[in-house]
Amino acid sequence: MNLSQGIKHQIVQHLNELKTAFEKYFPKCGKEDHWIMFPFSEIYFKSAVLSAREKEKLIELKTDSSLQAAFLEKKSLITFWANVKYEYPELSYKAFNVLLPFTSSVLVERAFSSYTFIKNKCRNRLSVSSDLRVYLSSVEPDFKKLSASKQSQGSR
């Protein structure tokens, strides 16, 4: 397929703009954050940008052989940092900020999509706050328990 130079230029320009936008939303992890991926490595400890207390906690974490075994056993960094969040809350908080940068925007997008769906489905309703609360809830309703607590309406 032969494309004209103008179309090729537009495609290249569009791809470069996509790359720029992607780098804006997903910046490269700097050397100061490598301690998150390699918490037991001495090399990345030196380049970590942490407070004195956080460095002390990282040293404490590095010397814990059971955590090192758990780190080697686990497949996911998020799982490891979630498991140590009560022992090392400052470190896990920083790790989560790097590993999960877009959790709040995902929730906002989900809420907006849900709001749009409800408003389109139920156009005549002015307030959707209670419907939206139920729609976004992670709690699954127990329909059997709910229906058991209600008395059925008998016909005459």
Side-chain angles (χ1 to χ4, degrees):
M1 175 189 225
N2 293 330
L3 297 175
S4 70
Q5 286 297 80
I7 292 177
K8 286 180 184 178
H9 177 72
Q10 284 182 342
I11 291 172
V12 169
Q13 182 181 359
H14 179 70
L15 291 174
N16 285 332
E17 289 173 7
L18 283 175
K19 180 183 173 196
T20 304
F22 188 79
E23 288 171 349
K24 176 185 167 193
Y25 287 106
F26 299 99
K28 290 183 179 176
C29 186
K31 283 189 175 186
E32 66 274 359
D33 294 329
H34 281 161
W35 65 270
I36 295 166
M37 294 171 275
F38 308 102
F40 299 97
S41 174
E42 188 66 33
I43 298 167
Y44 301 114
F45 173 78
K46 292 175 184 172
S47 63
V49 178
L50 299 170
S51 68
R53 176 162 168 69
E54 291 168 339
K55 283 212 175 196
E56 287 175 6
K57 290 294 185 180
L58 186 57
I59 291 170
E60 193 178 307
L61 181 136
K62 283 175 38 167
T63 58
D64 190 332
S65 58
S66 63
L67 286 179
Q68 189 169 10
F71 179 76
L72 295 173
E73 183 180 297
K74 297 290 179 192
K75 304 280 191 274
S76 167
L77 284 172
I78 295 171
T79 305
F80 172 76
W81 287 109
N83 289 339
V84 299
K85 76 176 181 182
Y86 296 112
E87 291 178 79
Y88 304 100
E90 303 94 354
L91 296 176
S92 65
Y93 177 76
K94 280 197 168 206
F96 283 140
N97 281 341
V98 171
L99 296 172
L100 304 171
F102 303 108
T103 55
S104 62
S105 64
V106 169
L107 294 176
V108 169
E109 288 175 15
R110 181 176 170 218
F112 182 74
S113 297
S114 302
Y115 177 78
T116 305
F117 174 75
I118 291 170
K119 274 305 239 186
N120 286 339
K121 184 178 176 189
C122 312
R123 287 188 195 138
N124 60 347
R125 302 205 47 197
L126 295 176
S127 174
V128 295
S129 60
S130 57
D131 294 336
L132 190 61
R133 187 178 307 118
V134 172
Y135 200 80
L136 292 174
S137 174
S138 60
V139 177
E140 289 289 324
D142 185 356
F143 290 111
K144 289 183 181 180
K145 184 178 178 183
L146 288 170
S147 62
S149 67
K150 301 294 180 190
Q151 183 176 358
S152 61
Q153 184 74 23
S155 61
R156 290 184 177 197

